[in-house]
Amino acid sequence: MKRRNKWIAALCSAAMIASMATCVSAEEAVEEGTVAEAEAETAEAETAEEAPAAEPERAAQVIVAEEKVEDTNGEPGIRKVYTVNHIYGDGQKVSNVIVEYNTAIDAESLALDTFEVKDRTITAVHTNSECEVTEENAEGNYVVLDLEIQSPILDDKYATDGRIQGMTVIDSATVIQHQDVATVDGAVIAGSEEEHSTSGGDGGIMGNDAVITPDMSKFDDNHYYNDPDSHTVLHYNFYKPEGYAESGEKYPLVLFIPDASAVGDSWEYILQQGNGGTVWTSEEWQAENPCFVVTMIYADKYINDYWEYYEDYMFGTMNLIRDLEEKYPVDASRVYTTGQSMGCMASMVMMEKDPDLFAAAYIMAGQWDPEQVKDIKDQNLLLLVSEDDPACARLDKNVAKWEEEGGIVARATFEGIADPEEKAAVIDEALSSDANICYLKIATGTGSMDLDGNALKGSHRMTWRLGYDLPGVKEWLFSQTK
């Protein structure tokens, strides 16, 4: 008989009614908001036992048990499905599905067609002893399915890899074990057409442990800064490099400001909609370039194409950076700003307002009134825009004005769909020059592609889908100092 692990919730309450206090506790099996059947072998024996009365003044307590998982009455079978969600230039995607069994699985019995993940393509299958992604088989109860991740600049109409749909972030999956699977003990788990989906969790304060987000979990979320000048409260996420408190060293700081599509109060979406904030916290980058990272969460679109902005947000952000420099071991000579569209415009204005705040900027797909920001001509700027983006013509005017005022500009135009080596050859020529302003463009008609890799027109958003993965750009930024 199929058994289920149950959540056990105990509710202790106290009440004073007509000078009487009564407290009754019972063990309940709960599933999806309803009372489930008790186990058959103990159903007749179960009784409610009277509990001692609680003290009248004691507050009621709710004890939340661990999340339920499906059991199989001792027979081998799937217990739970997890998703691992990584963040790419085009946003968060399910990169792996992990299937948990209640017994160790024989890796030799697995093949690509053993499983199906609905609407996705499986590229590799491994076993593991932990609920973690692995590239090698390790004896254990977990089967790790690697999923195909398509290029961020694939045109959306061809994408089948679970990328963000508007504001909807995909973080769940449905898996089917079509073929038989053997356990290390020699038992066989028969294939079937039964679907097993990622648990939705209970929506409570403990979250959903079936959805694993290693890129996002590195950040301390929901920080708030009360600007003493404007009394505006700013919302942000904060990443701290490992071991910073004990190292005795100072570290660079990266400020990321997103485009207007991320405006709102979600600390998650700012990290999920692209990799402008998370790319700096990867293990590879932090191993060579440990740094602090701040990702801003603005409740309003505070800057627009008419050269208008909210001063409390603008100056509050600048004060936040100064505050972090005082509270943490930040190298004030290596503070960088980066962002797209709205983030590009905001960065230009902040650099104009305080020329000593940032060592350099990597900004894309934005522009500002050339006269208002002409004085940042001597600062270190790395600019990126797609020639298919209307912002290109306006950014051209900014660059022309800086050059007119004495700024030194290096230009490079490359195909967005080109191989990394081809891009690197073109981009490196500009980045290795003596120019303090490097102006990169994605050539018209090459900013996206179809399934066969044929070039298609680019767009505003396509710029930052590939921007943070371009060869050499992050290294250039971190090489700049004040």
Side-chain angles (χ1 to χ4, degrees):
M1 170 184 168
K2 192 173 185 181
R3 299 178 60 188
R4 300 178 185 273
N5 286 345
K6 302 179 289 291
W7 282 11
I8 308 301
L11 179 62
C12 300
S13 62
M16 292 291 292
I17 302 175
S19 301
M20 296 180 63
T22 305
C23 180
V24 178
S25 67
E27 180 174 289
E28 297 179 336
V30 180
E31 179 176 354
E32 298 180 358
T34 64
V35 179
E37 290 184 358
E39 298 178 356
E41 63 269 27
T42 60
E44 295 181 359
E46 287 183 342
T47 58
E49 295 182 358
E50 186 174 332
E55 297 178 10
E57 65 274 19
R58 183 175 299 167
Q61 295 180 338
V62 178
I63 303 173
V64 181
E66 65 181 43
E67 182 176 354
K68 65 181 179 182
V69 293
E70 184 176 0
D71 206 341
T72 55
N73 197 26
E75 299 175 2
I78 294 176
R79 300 184 73 229
K80 192 171 181 178
V81 173
Y82 303 80
T83 58
V84 180
N85 303 269
H86 280 103
I87 299 167
Y88 304 86
D90 54 342
Q92 177 179 294
K93 306 178 197 177
V94 177
S95 59
N96 305 84
V97 170
I98 301 178
V99 183
E100 181 185 5
Y101 289 85
N102 62 359
T103 189
I105 300 301
D106 179 7
E108 295 297 322
S109 70
L110 304 177
L112 290 181
D113 64 352
T114 302
F115 299 91
E116 173 192 354
V117 176
K118 298 193 74 172
D119 302 319
R120 298 296 299 276
T121 299
I122 299 172
T123 59
V125 182
H126 299 288
T127 56
N128 202 3
S129 58
E130 306 290 339
C131 187
E132 297 175 354
V133 175
T134 180
E135 296 181 358
E136 302 291 338
N137 289 322
E139 184 177 307
N141 296 28
Y142 298 93
V143 173
V144 182
L145 310 177
D146 295 353
L147 303 180
E148 179 186 24
I149 299 297
Q150 297 166 326
S151 169
I153 58 173
L154 180 71
D155 189 281
D156 284 343
K157 62 176 170 286
Y158 302 109
T160 59
D161 60 350
R163 64 181 51 175
I164 290 177
Q165 304 294 321
M167 295 290 290
T168 301
V169 178
I170 309 300
D171 62 6
S172 61
T174 297
V175 64
I176 303 170
Q177 180 199 311
H178 287 300
Q179 310 298 330
D180 293 352
V181 170
T183 72
V184 295
D185 296 330
V188 174
I189 304 171
S192 73
E193 298 306 303
E194 183 178 0
E195 296 183 353
H196 301 267
S197 297
T198 313
S199 167
D202 63 1
I205 61 172
M206 300 308 292
N208 181 5
D209 72 348
V211 176
I212 302 169
T213 54
D215 297 334
M216 291 172 54
S217 63
K218 295 176 182 177
F219 283 83
D220 290 341
D221 59 82
N222 288 320
H223 281 259
Y224 294 90
Y225 170 70
N226 190 345
D227 179 28
D229 292 342
S230 65
H231 303 291
T232 299
V233 177
L234 295 178
H235 190 187
Y236 66 99
N237 298 323
F238 193 34
Y239 172 85
K240 302 173 223 177
E242 185 176 353
Y244 78 92
E246 300 82 24
S247 71
E249 299 179 2
K250 291 196 171 185
Y251 298 84
L253 181 147
V254 179
L255 169 69
F256 171 68
I257 301 177
D259 59 282
S261 72
V263 164
D265 59 2
S266 172
W267 73 268
E268 297 159 310
Y269 192 73
I270 182 70
L271 302 174
Q272 293 170 320
Q273 53 96 242
N275 63 348
T278 59
V279 70
W280 315 98
T281 67
S282 70
E283 291 183 11
E284 296 77 13
W285 185 258
Q286 284 289 318
E288 299 294 330
N289 303 279
C291 61
F292 293 95
V293 183
V294 178
T295 63
M296 298 305 300
I297 308 162
Y298 294 113
D300 301 297
K301 181 180 177 182
Y302 80 101
I303 191 167
N304 62 31
D305 294 332
Y306 304 101
W307 326 136
E308 300 170 328
Y309 57 87
Y310 297 157
E311 288 192 351
D312 51 355
Y313 277 12
M314 188 69 70
F315 290 101
T317 301
M318 296 165 68
N319 285 340
L320 165 63
I321 298 305
R322 299 186 187 101
D323 185 69
L324 293 174
E325 288 178 351
E326 294 180 1
K327 293 180 177 177
Y328 294 92
V330 173
D331 183 351
S333 69
R334 298 184 67 200
V335 176
Y336 309 109
T337 181
T338 186
Q340 58 226 22
S341 193
M342 183 178 79
C344 176
M345 296 190 292
S347 295
M348 286 187 187
V349 174
M350 287 189 293
M351 295 177 83
E352 188 272 331
K353 296 297 182 185
D354 185 353
D356 294 324
L357 187 59
F358 300 111
Y362 177 37
I363 47 182
M364 58 192 78
Q367 71 291 317
W368 199 249
D369 177 12
E371 285 296 328
Q372 290 188 33
V373 293
K374 64 182 180 181
D375 291 337
I376 68 175
K377 61 181 175 61
D378 296 322
Q379 299 196 49
N380 298 313
L381 295 165
L382 177 54
L383 310 162
L384 175 67
V385 71
S386 171
E387 289 185 330
D388 295 319
D389 182 357
C392 182
R394 296 192 289 268
L395 188 54
D396 282 347
K397 295 179 181 179
N398 281 119
V399 176
K401 186 64 178 179
W402 292 325
E403 201 165 29
E404 178 186 314
E405 294 292 319
I408 303 174
V409 179
R411 294 173 171 82
T413 301
F414 61 93
E415 292 190 353
I417 67 166
D419 292 333
E421 294 78 11
E422 295 178 49
K423 293 177 185 174
V426 176
I427 293 172
D428 184 63
E429 186 174 350
L431 299 185
S432 60
S433 71
D434 293 331
N436 64 294
I437 301 172
C438 296
Y439 190 20
L440 307 180
K441 289 184 178 182
I442 303 168
T444 185
T446 71
S448 62
M449 64 184 181
D450 62 17
L451 280 172
D452 296 322
N454 298 312
L456 300 173
K457 187 177 179 180
S459 68
H460 188 58
R461 292 180 59 82
M462 286 296 183
T463 305
W464 59 84
R465 285 189 173 185
L466 62 83
Y468 289 99
D469 295 315
L470 289 177
V473 294
K474 297 189 295 295
E475 289 79 5
W476 180 91
L477 186 70
F478 269 52
S479 69
Q480 309 304 314
T481 60
K482 286 194 293 189

